[in-house]
Amino acid sequence: MLSGAQKRVGGLPRRLVAAAALMPVLARATPAAARTAPARGPVPQPGPRRGQAGKADKARLHPVTTTEAQWRGVADAIGRQGSMLRGMTYHVGFPRTDLRVVSYGVAVKPTLALVSSASFVRYSDGSTLMMGDLVATEGELQHLLEGLQRHGIDQTAIHKHLLAQSPDLWWTHVHGHSRDAESLARGVRAAIDRTNTPPPASSGPPPRKDTPIEDLDTDGIDAALGTKGTNSNGVWRCVFVRRETIVDGGMVLPAGIGATSAFNFQPLGDGRAALNGDVVMVADEVQDVLKALVRGKIHVVEVHNHGLTDEPRLFFTHLWAVGDAVSIAKALRRAVDVTNVKPPPAEGHTEGHTGEQAGE
């Protein structure tokens, strides 16, 4: 015979019945307790591979303004001088002037598609974000990846920017976050040194950034696209940035890094140009962009991501065209118009607390 606490109600022990009766009360109490719990602050991220904020951590880090002098240690570690973009991004380029690349009969200039780059941004907690895009031949690619991994630099994409090229090339997007900016720079340099990327010129005047652009209607290109382009060593470059705030791993990206549509026009004579570049999109824009490009006779190279943790999630389509430059720009405008982009802020203007990938 059962007695006391062992007596059953409806076939169940009385202690289980009591516990079941309390469950709705506890369930109602749990959200209130959660609402009164203190919010977590930013999680310290000391290593270059610790740049991704946890899902539970809603705090965002904001970029701050810096000066070129504050990046002297990065310049020394990476082995070449960079330049400031809009007071927030320290940009270093590695032109692949050693390569003689031909795509569809066009001799590709480095600033059309062959510049490796790394961009550095300082954040409000004192840490540094590095994002970049490195060019490698097929024979160099695995050595490049080994160098990146040995120094804790993440690879976030490996893909093509050209449909056909000789020699065969690959592009690797990289990402690092650390309180030691020089360690990020050393990692990039170690990887670059595993390729045949030429060192910077040790003497003589710096390369001209105003190489004349002949037989190209740059005013017509700008009017067709609705923005003002720039001369990048003889290639006309037009850039757009997303209107949304882009966050990557809990870090707000300044305008022009990691989320740009960039179009490069290399003059071919008689008003013709070779176009290479990419369009940045969110998921709902992808199909409209592809339709506009195909209808405009602009070749689609690839559709892919450049990052792993961006919010909103970004997609990129690389493209190629050869023909009348203004006609190409007009066709390209239809793709631009279905995306939520705008011309970049003027140089010197900053966005963020107190505070593009550019060609070299």
Side-chain angles (χ1 to χ4, degrees), residues 103-104 113 159-165 169 171 275-279 290 293-294 298-304 316-321:
S103 181
Y104 288 105
H159 53 235
K160 297 282 192 180
H161 288 189
L162 297 169
L163 279 173
Q165 71 273 181
L169 302 176
W171 285 257
L275 167 73
N276 187 244
D278 54 353
V279 183
L290 295 181
L293 294 175
V294 172
I298 296 174
H299 293 178
V300 175
V301 178
E302 284 199 4
V303 178
H304 50 235
F316 296 79
T317 179
H318 287 266
L319 41 82
W320 173 267

Side-chain angles (χ1 to χ4, degrees), residues 247-316:
V247 181
D248 193 319
M251 290 168 283
V252 175
L253 301 184
I257 178 172
T260 62
S261 292
F263 309 118
N264 301 323
F265 294 82
Q266 177 180 313
L268 300 178
D270 298 324
R272 300 173 70 251
L275 167 73
N276 187 244
D278 54 353
V279 183
V280 60
M281 310 162 288
V282 294
D284 289 345
E285 298 168 345
V286 172
Q287 299 309 315
D288 288 336
V289 167
L290 295 181
K291 289 175 182 176
L293 294 175
V294 172
R295 288 171 182 168
K297 308 301 181 185
I298 296 174
H299 293 178
V300 175
V301 178
E302 284 199 4
V303 178
H304 50 235
N305 307 103
H306 287 177
L308 299 178
T309 60
D310 42 9
E311 300 175 34
R313 193 77 171 108
L314 299 178
F315 298 82
F316 296 79

Side-chain angles (χ1 to χ4, degrees), residues 41 62 78 82 119 191 219 249 251 291 356:
H62 289 264
I78 210 165
S119 295
D219 289 339
M251 290 168 283
K291 289 175 182 176
E356 85 220 40

